[in-house]
Amino acid sequence: VFNLGSYKTGSSSLNEALESLGFHACKTAWNDLGGQFASFDMASIADFKASPTSGDTPLHKAVNRCTALGDAPWLFLFPTLMRAFPKAKFILTRQPSCEDWVYHVRGLWQWMGWLGEEQKWTTPLGKKYGIAGELNACWYGSWAPDATKLWHSRCVETERAIVKTARKLDNAARSHIAAALLCGRVQGWV
């Protein structure tokens, strides 16, 4: 099971729900599988994307050890995941709207003290934007959610692309891919 929802979309609630149903659910970082920043490591993500079913990156270890995965980086890998794991189930957690999602992500960034601050890391983008910011700058076009509509537009595009890709693969291959849309939070958990 892969949750393709971004952070601040109820992914912690879904993780808890899946755990209560007996899944070995793993969210961001996977601690012993790669450390705090494993899910944001661009080299590991590139290696996984090149060969999703075999490898020794933290992402490969997470796929092999966990029965449900969510949060970053899975959202960013949805086309690769849907092709490599055609019998997997895919869930898209989301906020009621992309405006709501940007609002909540800005709150997270503010709470973390990241708004208006440059983070330090080892790659050129990372040095400018920080580890999570490197992945965000690549996907959303800027390291942090800002007042522009850039993150909002990318949120809309991403959600549409996930659903269209799932439908296209399902129709073309008659596979068992499921794209479930969960609006807001999973009721009764966290």
Side-chain angles (χ1 to χ4, degrees):
V1 176
F2 291 96
N3 174 15
L4 302 180
S6 186
Y7 18 83
K8 304 313 293 174
T9 62
S11 56
S12 294
S13 297
L14 179 62
N15 200 62
E16 291 292 322
L18 291 170
E19 283 280 341
S20 74
L21 294 171
F23 287 87
H24 179 207
C26 303
K27 246 185 83 167
T28 308
W30 323 296
N31 299 323
D32 63 321
L33 299 178
Q36 183 179 0
F37 298 112
S39 58
F40 296 106
D41 180 58
M42 296 295 276
S44 288
I45 292 169
D47 288 346
F48 181 85
K49 187 174 177 189
S51 180
T53 57
S54 64
D56 195 38
T57 70
L59 281 73
H60 290 96
K61 292 175 185 175
V63 166
N64 290 326
R65 200 178 294 176
C66 307
T67 56
L69 293 150
D71 224 316
W74 310 113
L75 157 72
F76 309 111
L77 291 166
F78 73 88
T80 300
L81 296 172
M82 288 178 176
R83 286 185 189 100
F85 305 101
K87 292 185 180 181
K89 302 298 181 199
F90 295 89
I91 298 171
L92 176 59
T93 54
R94 58 184 306 272
Q95 288 285 343
S97 71
C98 286
E99 282 102 0
D100 291 325
W101 174 73
V102 171
Y103 173 82
H104 288 287
V105 173
R106 283 188 58 79
L108 172 64
W109 259 237
Q110 186 173 359
W111 178 75
M112 296 292 285
W114 292 348
L115 287 180
E117 226 180 89
E118 285 193 4
Q119 307 295 309
K120 308 295 181 227
W121 204 248
T122 57
T123 64
L125 274 177
K127 285 180 181 175
K128 187 172 182 182
Y129 300 117
I131 187 69
E134 181 176 9
L135 187 58
N136 289 333
C138 177
W139 192 260
Y140 294 109
S142 68
W143 98 271
D146 55 18
T148 70
K149 292 288 185 180
L150 189 61
W151 273 49
H152 173 269
S153 297
R154 193 62 173 147
C155 169
V156 171
E157 291 169 19
T158 300
E159 288 183 359
R160 286 182 183 154
I162 288 170
V163 172
K164 284 182 177 182
T165 301
R167 285 182 182 151
K168 186 178 229 177
L169 289 174
D170 191 44
N171 289 336
R174 300 284 184 235
S175 67
H176 293 84
I177 295 174
L181 297 175
L182 297 179
C183 297
R185 293 178 174 75
V186 176
Q187 296 298 317
W189 287 282
V190 183

